[in-house]
Amino acid sequence: MMKKTPLYLTGMLLMLTGISGYSQQHKELSLSRLWELTADQYPSLTEKQAKIGESEYRKKELRNAAIPTVQLQLQNSLGTFEGTSGAFFPVPGVFNVSGTGGTGQQEAGSTTMNSFGSVLMDWKISQFGKQQKQIEAAGYEVQEAQSNYDASKLSLRAKTTRRYLELLYTSSGRDWADKNAVRVKEILDLSVSLAEAGLKPGADTALAAAAYLQAQAQQEDWNGKYQAGQVNIKELAPTLVGEQVVPLKQYMGKVFTLESPDSVAATHPFLQALDKQLMVQQLQKEVIGKKQLPSISLLAGYSARGTGINSDGTVQNNYASGFNNGAQNYLVGVGLSWNLTGLYTGSVEKKRAQKQIDAAQSRYQLQKLQMNTSLQSVSSRIQAQIKQVAKTGSAVHKTTDAYELYLSRYEAGLINLTDLLQIQSLLQQVEKSNIEVHQELWTQLNTKAELSGDYSFLFNQLK
């Protein structure tokens, strides 16, 4: 169920004007532009893309396991020929000797040349569903890798938006510091002119000068914060050149409509990654059960051998003799292989796999519970901040009017400089508070977008 809540962002969202010293020759850096750059370049996403490719190749490897296994073996050797051997198909590591015994024409230990070649085929025609389950599990591993990629992309989008909002905040802070310095400079100039006219004491000039120096120090502080924010943006988009951020601006009384989901959708990437992980664990348990069943194979082979031992018992030991007296054999049949020990050990593996399934289910439920709780919490906080935004905006207007009134009264000699500086300091604090509550509101909107998996609102507002 979706509830629509009007969001009244009254007042200027961060500040009234662009950053000090912003040049028209620079393009404004939009959030969508920053998203585009990070999606193309950031290593965490390229890593997840590689994981997807790896999972797809693993699935292909399992499909290739259905292809018959064909082995070719060729050898040419020099060895003794004591004893006899029949026709067989050797595998790597088997010591092959061809020869006859009992002729009396050559003593044991004599040597001759031997040659052998064979081609073997082993085709597992039935694994009782084991391979199919492995392929199915590999398919879910591909989906899990894709979900992990989507989750990383969403997390990166939240991180990018957070950095962008921080830069907006420091950009607005610079403008706030500039405006404050201009106001204090106006007070300083006024105090100097009044002191020169003999209407105010000279101490007012020193006090106003101290306030102006403090305002300039704040300017330097915010300039440093802004430069640091640009460095943080560079981490996300190293190739970013010639684009700057200006403070976020909105008009008075603009109405936004937000969709407030009651719960996190099951299609959320964070939940989907855990869901696919659970499916993989469940299929792995089924694979373990299938491993307890036998495998049936179709076997076929052909071999050719030669030896330097002639049928009359005479022996030749030159190299070419190893290809004489040839014999060819073939073998076809059906084989069954069954790991009977696996009937016992497989039950233990299945129990372990079930515990992994239980753990995966718990992770999914915990993630869902935490996300739903956080979504409801941030939605409630946003509602409270909407009211706070409206009140701080009204406070800025009232304090600004009061400051202008006090400035006129000081100029007319009705109040002293201390009173004027106090109201100026109050205006400064209210303006800064206005920036901070708007920044906090947008930060919460970013958190809500990450929890809901929907960045359409921020995309439309910050594009």
Side-chain angles (χ1 to χ4, degrees), residues 342-380:
L343 295 174
Y344 168 73
T345 59
S347 63
V348 178
E349 291 184 54
K350 288 172 69 175
K351 291 178 181 178
R352 180 173 61 85
Q354 182 59 50
K355 293 301 180 183
Q356 291 177 330
I357 292 173
D358 294 342
Q361 288 175 331
S362 296
R363 284 195 298 270
Y364 179 88
Q365 294 300 328
L366 177 61
Q367 181 74 13
K368 184 177 180 180
L369 175 62
Q370 290 178 336
M371 291 179 66
N372 281 328
T373 302
S374 298
L375 181 60
Q376 294 168 10
S377 174
V378 74
S379 296
S380 298

Side-chain angles (χ1 to χ4, degrees), residues 268-293:
H268 194 286
F270 292 172
L271 294 180
Q272 281 294 297
L274 294 176
D275 180 64
K276 296 303 183 291
Q277 187 181 87
L278 175 60
M279 295 300 299
V280 171
Q281 295 291 348
Q282 291 173 337
L283 285 169
Q284 289 294 350
K285 180 185 176 181
E286 295 184 32
V287 169
I288 292 172
K290 297 293 184 181
K291 285 170 62 178
Q292 295 177 292
L293 300 176

Side-chain angles (χ1 to χ4, degrees), residues 55 59 62 133-144 276 280 283:
S55 300
K59 184 177 180 180
L62 291 172
K133 287 297 179 183
Q134 289 176 328
I135 293 174
E136 191 176 349
Y140 277 107
E141 287 178 353
V142 174
Q143 295 180 32
E144 180 187 359
K276 296 303 183 291
V280 171
L283 285 169

Side-chain angles (χ1 to χ4, degrees), residues 206-221:
L207 184 59
Y212 182 59
L213 289 174
Q214 184 180 11
Q216 289 180 316
Q218 288 178 333
Q219 285 182 295
E220 297 298 332
D221 180 46

Side-chain angles (χ1 to χ4, degrees), residues 432-444:
K432 187 176 185 224
S433 177
N434 189 43
I435 296 173
E436 289 173 345
V437 296
H438 283 92
Q439 170 67 12
E440 181 63 21
L441 175 59
W442 282 99
T443 299
Q444 294 301 320

